[in-house]
Amino acid sequence: MTQTAPAASSTYLRYPHLHGELITFTAEDDVWVAPLDGGRAWRVSADNVPVNHPRISPDGTTVAWTSTRDGAPEVHIASLDGGPATRLTHWGSWKTQVRGWTPDGNVLALSTYGQPSLRRTWARSVPLDGGPATTLPYGPVGDVAHGPGVVLLSAPMGREAAWWKRYRGGTAGKLWIDRAAAGEEGAGEFVRLHEELDGNIEYPSWVGERVVFLSDHEGVGAVYSSLADGSDLRRHTAVDGFYARHAATDGTRVVYSSAGELWLLDDLDGAEPRRLDVRLGGQRVDLRRHPVNAARWFGAAAPDHTGRGSAISVRGAVHWVTHRSGPARALAAEDGVRARLPRTFRVDGEEHVVWVTDAEGDDALEFAPATGVAPGATPRRLAAGQLGRVLGLAV
């Protein structure tokens, strides 16, 4: 079996982060780096597995990200100049995510490792030498942003706002801030920030003296910022299109993704978002046909009356296979059409197959000889729009 490539060749870019004149992001299940002004990107990872939240270190030498290369998501790092990736954690938690860097140069990660619930993500400082991680003293959190103060995001519902639009329930993201700098009196005392905003808040960070975050309290996720006391709230992106997602900063600029594209805010003083023209290099293997596991997508099978062959459905297509030798024959395999519930029957000594198709939108029946239709012909179709939703078929 082969997976058909999408007709469009556009890319879908997510989880950006920037440093200097470079931007990192994920696409095609790998981590990439590209010039910030646009141009051809190159891969940092080449594992072709789900990855997220790449973050460039403050010194610009290392990229950290979350990778499922070995099963559960774990923290990985690699040199920005190229080279093999190193796995730093072995937690085995399905809620592990890289979120940035700590002030002392360690990887900042969230994980439910050692916790009784997948909602209890704790922040951890992961050293680059592979040593034991240190649990940060914030309790269950959904994100941490270090700057002039410490901003915490409450442990959210487990879905980002763009997945569950305009959610207003009790597990929506909330901001808490410790405005006192480390070592000052009152450090460690957190108060609620922007309690008046009725929305789902996520991805907090610092740009200078301002707290940046995403919120959908105006109906669509957008980039906002305010002073540490909550005053001077500003919106920096529009609320009449797609959600702004995955906002990150280098302390001066803000980058985010929206509708699979990367956008940059050069400052928070009135700059308009500009789209980054990034092109992926390489062979773009995820846009080519590739084999899929037929056993995984197996739907149903019906043997003929002799037991020498069967009609089977695999991933929305119907095939005829013999039980001893000979090739499989596609009876119905059209892009964008689902064929299912194949059944066999015999007419005048010849084997036939009937199945359900949605080629016209509504369910219908299609018939064809097990040997396949004649060249240039199509299967016979009956009762389109007259059957409702077909749940079973018997001959």
Side-chain angles (χ1 to χ4, degrees), residues 86-271:
T86 300
R87 177 176 170 180
L88 296 184
T89 62
H90 296 79
W91 292 332
S93 165
W94 290 103
K95 293 296 289 290
T96 293
Q97 280 188 356
V98 168
R99 302 303 287 206
W101 296 82
T102 64
D104 56 358
N106 290 338
V107 179
L108 174 64
L110 302 178
S111 181
T112 58
Y113 170 68
Q115 296 298 313
S117 169
L118 290 179
R119 293 188 180 276
R120 295 179 62 85
T121 50
W122 286 63
R124 289 174 166 85
S125 173
V126 183
L128 303 189
D129 60 5
T134 301
T135 301
L136 301 181
Y138 302 133
V141 293
D143 209 343
V144 180
H146 294 101
V150 178
V151 174
L152 305 179
L153 179 72
S154 62
M157 57 190 169
R159 294 176 179 267
E160 62 173 290
W163 289 14
W164 199 337
K165 295 176 175 60
R166 288 167 286 282
Y167 172 74
R168 297 294 184 264
T171 58
K174 305 172 181 65
L175 292 182
W176 296 80
I177 186 170
D178 175 9
R179 299 189 182 97
E184 292 185 5
E185 183 179 354
E189 298 180 3
F190 288 86
V191 295
R192 179 85 178 272
L193 182 65
H194 295 304
E195 187 173 0
E196 75 285 357
L197 298 184
D198 183 23
N200 197 357
I201 299 177
E202 56 186 358
Y203 287 93
S205 59
W206 286 90
V207 171
E209 299 295 322
R210 300 185 68 82
V211 179
V212 180
F213 56 94
L214 298 177
S215 176
D216 65 353
H217 64 276
E218 292 187 274
V220 173
V223 178
Y224 295 83
S225 74
S226 74
L227 296 176
D229 61 1
S231 63
D232 192 26
L233 179 65
R234 304 175 189 172
R235 175 165 54 81
H236 302 280
T237 61
V239 291
D240 57 356
F242 293 96
Y243 267 54
R245 305 169 65 186
H246 314 142
T249 177
D250 62 352
T252 303
R253 302 160 295 181
V254 178
V255 66
Y256 64 96
S257 64
S258 181
E261 299 177 330
L262 303 183
W263 296 80
L264 177 69
L265 281 166
D266 290 295
D267 58 62
L268 300 180
D269 296 322

Side-chain angles (χ1 to χ4, degrees), residues 298-321:
F298 177 80
D304 68 0
H305 83 292
T306 68
R308 296 177 180 175
S310 293
I312 66 170
S313 62
V314 176
R315 204 174 182 276
V318 172
H319 302 261
W320 179 263
V321 298

Side-chain angles (χ1 to χ4, degrees), residues 3 5 17 19 35 45-46 52 55 74 78 80 99 114 159 181 227 230 241-242 260 273 329 353 394:
Q3 161 76 55
H17 186 247
H19 182 279
S45 70
N52 59 65
R55 296 292 186 263
E74 302 286 357
L80 196 62
R99 302 303 287 206
R159 294 176 179 267
L227 296 176
F242 293 96
R329 179 180 298 111
V353 182

